[in-house]
Amino acid sequence: MSLNDWTDERLTRAALGALLRFGATTVLALASQYGVGVAWQRVRDGAEVADAQADDGPDSARVPSGAAFAAWANATNPQQVADATEQAGLRFLIPGDAEWPGVLEDLAGCSVSRMGGVPVGLWAAGPGRLNSWCKRAVAMVGSRASTRYGESVALSMASDLAGEIGEPHWTIVSGGAFGIDSASHRGALLVSGRTIGVFAGGLDSPYPPGNAQLFREVAEKGLVISELPPGAAPTRPGFLERNRLIAALSQGTVVVEAALRSGARNTASWAGELGRVVMAVPGPVTSAMSTTPHRLIRDGEAVLVAQVPDIRALLRPVGQGDELPLIGARREGDELVGDAATVREALPGRGGKTLGEMALLSGVSVVRCLGALNELAGRGFAEMDDQGRWRVAR
């Protein structure tokens, strides 16, 4: 029994997906401009596609000519792509499917380093359903060469978010790489939580190979997706193109650790471009792996998060739930404002001060100071002794 309904549109989208490895910028631009049917015909006919291509940037080195695209397109058999998808046991999702997440449409018109675009389709495997799982999703990304500190933080945060008691669970989205990505996926799996792996190559060949066991576990218990068909090897630009999916599928992105030049920085840029919440975990100032989180925080591009309640507070809709917990515990009297707050700060804890001395210490006029003192006395914050001296109420 087929896992997919191979309509003409689905076959065309699968064929275009197979061309992404040769130039995603071109394919996605053409699909956006003309629609998938016309885009497929244009590349097969060898139509001039230079206008849709980036003339510089990370993708420029692999921008093909119209003739090259025509050769690759005519060598691509849509039915063979469909057969490979079925043989690998994969679902091929396209816009309009019940499982297709509407949040991916936010990618229309967005660009980072001249890359971007709504995917023509996604290959998927696993019991999870993309449209429902990404409704409450947090991306956790970071360096492959992570430290024990970073891995510990990622594992702990992912476990708490994915398996919270008394709180709605969050889906953890990451890229399946070594380091922070792996720790984030494992954290969710440890508590039988939801996790989505977004990969830069075909789902029939896990990358990196050293993470094959983790890949299988995510595919068996969670969800793995890719923009590329079975048999497609990951490319360097492909990892950057993949990052936009990680950011788009999540309500917020947490950068745990990342060096100065890092793919995690690119994911954070995508999250900011898409209007998602960008968060960063601080680390030792002596650690090169904390350079990007610290710069994101310094430059106002990310909010500092040190624990899971910080993340929850930032991702909750405005007006729902508590404010950021790291503001500090509320103390008695924090609700005071104006003269009452100013005069209360000037009240002595021992001895006492006359009305005139209190006005002088607080910088408030005598009349206003008396009004503030009476208010404070009525609320139990101040008291006057037998000699008319004011002090903190005991």
Side-chain angles (χ1 to χ4, degrees):
M1 181 177 177
S2 175
L3 294 171
N4 304 275
D5 177 15
W6 292 106
T7 61
D8 288 344
E9 181 186 0
R10 196 177 301 273
L11 285 169
T12 300
R13 287 180 177 273
L16 285 172
L19 289 180
L20 291 178
R21 72 188 91 176
F22 303 120
T25 301
T26 298
V27 172
L28 296 176
L30 287 171
S32 174
Q33 183 176 357
Y34 299 108
V36 293
V38 175
W40 174 240
Q41 192 60 51
R42 282 179 66 85
V43 295
R44 292 184 67 204
D45 291 344
E48 181 56 53
V49 295
D51 289 345
Q53 299 168 344
D55 54 13
D56 57 30
D59 205 31
S60 61
R62 64 186 191 121
V63 170
S65 66
F69 247 126
W72 286 319
N74 286 298
T76 300
N77 185 322
Q79 189 57 54
Q80 289 180 349
V81 179
D83 292 343
T85 300
E86 295 292 334
Q87 290 169 9
L90 304 176
R91 310 189 295 277
F92 181 58
L93 312 177
I94 65 173
D97 287 347
E99 194 179 345
W100 184 264
V103 291
L104 289 178
E105 301 304 317
D106 293 348
L107 288 165
C110 286
S111 174
V112 172
S113 299
R114 300 204 180 196
M115 293 181 176
V118 179
V120 294
L122 293 172
W123 280 265
R129 286 297 178 264
L130 188 58
N131 62 316
S132 60
W133 278 28
C134 70
K135 289 179 180 177
R136 285 181 58 84
V138 181
M140 296 190 65
V141 297
S143 175
R144 291 172 173 81
S146 54
T147 67
R148 289 186 179 181
Y149 161 80
E151 291 176 15
S152 175
V153 169
L155 185 78
S156 176
M157 283 186 168
S159 295
D160 288 347
L161 284 164
E164 289 178 305
I165 298 175
E167 287 281 347
H169 298 183
W170 288 89
T171 301
I172 304 301
V173 183
S174 200
F178 290 131
I180 299 303
D181 287 14
S182 295
S184 301
H185 289 305
R186 289 194 176 98
L189 292 170
L190 278 173
V191 295
S192 300
R194 296 175 172 181
T195 186
I196 300 173
V198 186
F199 294 89
L203 297 181
D204 59 332
S205 301
Y207 185 89
N211 263 358
Q213 179 57 41
L214 176 63
F215 178 96
R216 285 192 291 271
E217 193 169 356
V218 174
E220 289 171 2
K221 302 176 181 178
L223 181 64
V224 291
I225 63 171
S226 175
E227 201 173 5
L228 294 177
T235 62
R236 186 173 181 181
F239 283 106
L240 296 178
E241 288 152 357
R242 178 273 312 268
N243 291 342
R244 81 189 197 285
L245 303 180
I246 295 177
L249 290 170
S250 310
Q251 281 74 65
T253 293
V254 180
V255 180
V256 180
E257 278 190 323
L260 184 59
R261 294 178 61 84
S262 170
R265 177 68 179 85
N266 177 260
T267 306
S269 295
W270 268 111
E273 178 71 16
L274 290 164
R276 308 298 199 255
V277 180
V278 183
M279 296 159 277
V281 176
V285 295
T286 54
S287 173
M289 291 301 106
S290 291
T291 301
T292 286
H294 290 169
R295 289 198 174 191
L296 288 171
I297 295 168
R298 181 198 67 186
D299 296 341
E301 297 180 54
V303 180
L304 184 153
V305 291
Q307 56 186 12
V308 167
D310 299 340
I311 300 172
R312 285 204 312 261
L314 287 165
L315 295 181
R316 279 196 180 106
V318 176
Q320 296 184 20
D322 298 330
E323 298 298 324
L324 283 171
L326 292 187
I327 292 174
R330 290 187 64 82
R331 299 178 302 168
E332 190 177 17
D334 282 353
E335 71 278 9
L336 294 172
V337 295
D339 291 343
T342 304
V343 172
R344 181 173 183 252
E345 291 298 320
L347 282 169
R350 295 183 179 181
K353 298 292 183 182
T354 65
L355 174 59
E357 290 171 329
M358 285 299 303
L360 185 62
L361 287 170
S362 64
V364 176
S365 69
V366 173
V367 173
R368 287 166 48 201
C369 183
L370 179 59
L373 287 167
N374 286 330
E375 179 184 346
L376 292 169
R379 300 177 69 167
F381 293 115
E383 64 181 13
M384 186 176 64
D385 62 19
D386 294 340
Q387 299 184 13
R389 294 179 176 272
W390 291 91
R391 64 188 179 195
V392 173
R394 293 191 171 93

